[in-house]
Amino acid sequence: MHTTRRSFLRTAAAGAVVPILGPRLLDGLERRLEAFGGLSADGAAAQEDYWREVRRMFPIPADYINLENGYSSPQPAPTYEAFLRHEASINGGLSFYMRRKKADDLVAVKKQLAELAGCPADEIVITRNTTESMGTVIHGVDLAPGDEAVMCNQDYGSMLEQFRQQSRRRGLTCVEIAIPLHPRTDEEMVDTYARAMTSRTKILLLSHMVNITGQILPVRKIADMAHARGVSVLVDAAHSFAHIVFGVADLDGDYLGASLHKWLSTPLGAGILHIKKDRIRTVWPLLGDTAMPADDIRKFERIGTHPSWTVLAIADAIRFQKLVGPERKEARLRYLQQYWTDRVREIAKVYLNTPTGSRACGIANFGITGQRPGAIAEALFDRFKIYTVAIDTVPVKGVRVTPHLYTTTGELDALVRAVGELARA
Ligand SMILES: Cc1ncc(COP(=O)(O)O)c(C=O)c1O
């Protein structure tokens, strides 16, 4: 069957409350948000009218409330529209684009991404996701038998797996520690990691925002402690990047990986790898490029043919991010999280696995004493049409709830009512 672009756009938008409105979408949103004046981050956080305008840009599932935005983010309509346009235009001259234009476009997108990330452009690579960014480092640094890597049992499974692989291959020792769910001070976290280090420790894995609880770690302070002992630091920023406001260079990790399809809301398959300039030569690239000097980040860019339209759409996602405002985004996501956690905290048998205040932002995790996480998440979906995800690990037992910019307080009221009913059962 022949599919025209117009009918394809219609199909792509089917099921979404917001149809694809056209290339002027972002300009329209900009004008409508400007009408609110220069709202401060905190001033905007509880402004439902402001966020209703942002919500109109997102595809909203018609038959359930999506509170599982931790896996990945939907693209807002302006980014999705731009992505489709990039694909259509490149598809019309694939080889020409790849040979004549791709390199310049990559430079331009990297410049914008580096500016957003708060680091020099010659310290970043665009990858497919956090897993690839982190793996480039885990498998690329020189590690010898007897060397130790320190990590924690709340780090993301794929990173732990990659270190275990290095353990089999190179005889690396993986030291997996437990970290507190509700630390009282940053020093408590620094000490927890410091206690695990020995003279053989070479590298430290740190999750900036723990994916299963939403806890934010004091990465800079832990990195300072590690560096003082000559240990290099690999930061997993999958959930913090474009979610909370920070400069990658300010965190001072030696290496950092993040996914852009999570909180920057790019198309699936976009990530960033940052390596401090003077550390680039410490990582061997898997795929070449011997034509590049050892301290040139572009040695990691010989990755073969891949969808260039995804790379181009990163610039569109950045424009959306700037328009909403990174500070306002962080404040809104924290407001939404605290909106529901403050209310369920009052319900008998409900406990929180997420710390309070600035130690968390949009992601939080709760449990009900005596009930399995899987049973709670299933009941939320089957009985109340609220989609979350169960976390049933040794350190954390609960249900992860992740709202997004399009989430309304009305939807969170529905969650609070549902948790109350389940806890009383
Ligand atoms: C902390 C953390 N690291 C890494 C990843 C992997 O991200 P990706 O699948 O985009 O590589 C995730 C995914 O949820 C995560 O939460």
Side-chain angles (χ1 to χ4, degrees):
M1 192 178 80
H2 177 68
T3 308
T4 62
R5 181 163 179 272
R6 187 182 294 277
S7 74
F8 172 62
L9 290 180
R10 257 203 313 273
T11 313
V17 168
V18 182
I20 299 292
L21 294 173
R24 302 230 162 259
L25 220 43
L26 210 48
D27 298 334
L29 176 65
E30 190 163 19
R31 274 196 303 279
R32 288 195 300 280
L33 293 186
E34 270 169 12
F36 288 85
L39 284 176
S40 70
D42 289 339
Q47 276 272 1
E48 296 308 314
D49 290 350
Y50 180 92
W51 297 106
R52 202 164 298 122
E53 293 296 345
V54 175
R55 177 180 166 96
R56 290 179 59 198
M57 297 295 116
F58 282 92
I60 311 292
D63 48 357
Y64 64 95
I65 297 172
N66 184 20
L67 293 177
E68 209 317 57
N69 293 285
Y71 196 135
S72 71
S73 284
Q75 298 165 64
T79 309
Y80 186 54
E81 158 80 13
F83 169 69
L84 294 178
R85 268 187 289 121
H86 295 314
E87 183 175 19
S89 81
I90 293 173
N91 193 42
L94 260 178
S95 310
F96 185 83
Y97 178 82
M98 302 292 195
R99 293 192 193 284
R100 300 277 181 97
K101 295 188 166 169
K102 190 178 84 164
D104 288 346
D105 280 353
L106 178 62
V107 171
V109 173
K110 278 178 68 176
K111 189 163 173 278
Q112 293 184 50
L113 184 59
E115 188 202 319
L116 180 84
C119 63
D122 63 358
E123 295 188 352
I124 65 167
V125 189
I126 292 176
T127 63
R128 286 179 304 172
N129 50 47
T130 312
T131 308
E132 180 180 312
S133 302
M134 303 288 283
T136 300
V137 177
I138 296 169
H139 300 287
V141 289
D142 280 327
L143 293 166
D147 285 349
E148 291 178 358
V150 171
M151 56 210 74
C152 90
N153 61 2
Q154 294 180 37
D155 287 323
Y156 193 71
S158 304
M159 307 317 143
L160 299 177
E161 267 305 310
Q162 296 197 55
F163 272 111
R164 284 174 197 142
Q165 193 64 42
Q166 277 295 57
S167 174
R168 282 195 185 176
R169 185 175 176 191
R170 310 213 188 272
L172 174 80
T173 303
C174 297
V175 179
E176 202 176 294
I177 63 168
I179 58 169
L181 288 177
H182 300 281
R184 284 179 306 279
T185 62
D186 290 349
E187 287 61 42
E188 183 182 346
M189 294 303 283
V190 175
D191 289 347
T192 304
Y193 279 97
R195 277 197 299 276
M197 296 204 177
T198 73
S199 57
R200 291 185 301 279
T201 309
K202 289 290 179 310
I203 189 164
L204 170 62
L205 169 64
L206 282 180
S207 294
H208 193 191
M209 184 183 286
V210 174
N211 84 98
I212 47 183
T213 66
Q215 178 179 172
I216 299 169
L217 268 61
V219 165
R220 178 62 196 249
K221 290 184 181 175
I222 302 171
D224 286 349
M225 175 275 297
H227 288 148
R229 293 161 190 247
V231 173
S232 55
V233 176
L234 169 60
V235 181
D236 182 341
H239 273 297
S240 55
F241 194 88
H243 178 168
I244 56 173
V245 178
F246 68 97
V248 164
D250 299 332
L251 278 192
D252 205 33
D254 300 277
Y255 321 102
L256 176 144
S259 297
L260 306 178
H261 47 234
K262 289 191 185 289
W263 293 98
L264 190 58
S265 294
T266 69
L268 286 182
I272 178 173
L273 165 63
H274 170 260
I275 306 182
K276 247 193 239 170
K277 185 74 183 158
D278 63 351
R279 307 297 287 164
I280 295 172
R281 61 170 59 249
T282 66
V283 186
W284 291 95
L286 183 63
L287 308 171
D289 188 340
T290 56
M292 289 287 168
D295 61 354
D296 191 321
I297 197 82
R298 291 172 300 168
K299 70 184 182 181
F300 299 106
E301 287 178 351
R302 187 175 275 266
I303 58 168
T305 312
H306 59 279
S308 294
W309 35 87
T310 302
V311 173
L312 294 179
I314 294 170
D316 302 288
I318 290 174
R319 189 169 168 217
F320 186 83
Q321 172 83 355
K322 285 185 172 167
L323 207 161
V324 171
E327 287 81 8
R328 282 194 288 263
K329 180 175 182 176
E330 173 177 344
R332 173 63 172 179
L333 290 172
R334 184 169 287 114
Y335 171 83
L336 291 174
Q337 179 261 114
Q338 293 177 344
Y339 184 93
W340 74 266
T341 52
D342 283 351
R343 285 162 176 76
V344 301
R345 212 184 294 280
E346 304 298 322
I347 302 172
K349 292 201 287 185
V350 171
Y351 59 88
L352 272 303
N353 291 316
T354 302
T356 52
S358 59
R359 288 189 195 282
C361 193
I363 302 175
N365 181 309
F366 79 97
I368 301 174
T369 306
Q371 297 188 26
R372 279 189 310 106
I376 303 170
E378 282 308 305
L380 281 176
F381 191 66
D382 293 346
R383 289 177 50 194
F384 303 98
K385 293 285 164 257
I386 297 175
Y387 189 53
T388 57
V389 62
I391 307 291
D392 200 342
T393 61
V394 172
V396 180
K397 295 202 182 301
V399 171
R400 183 179 76 176
V401 174
T402 314
H404 205 290
L405 293 181
Y406 60 82
T407 304
T408 64
T409 49
E411 290 172 331
L412 297 176
D413 288 333
L415 171 72
V416 173
R417 278 194 303 274
V419 172
E421 276 195 44
L422 293 178
R424 279 191 295 277

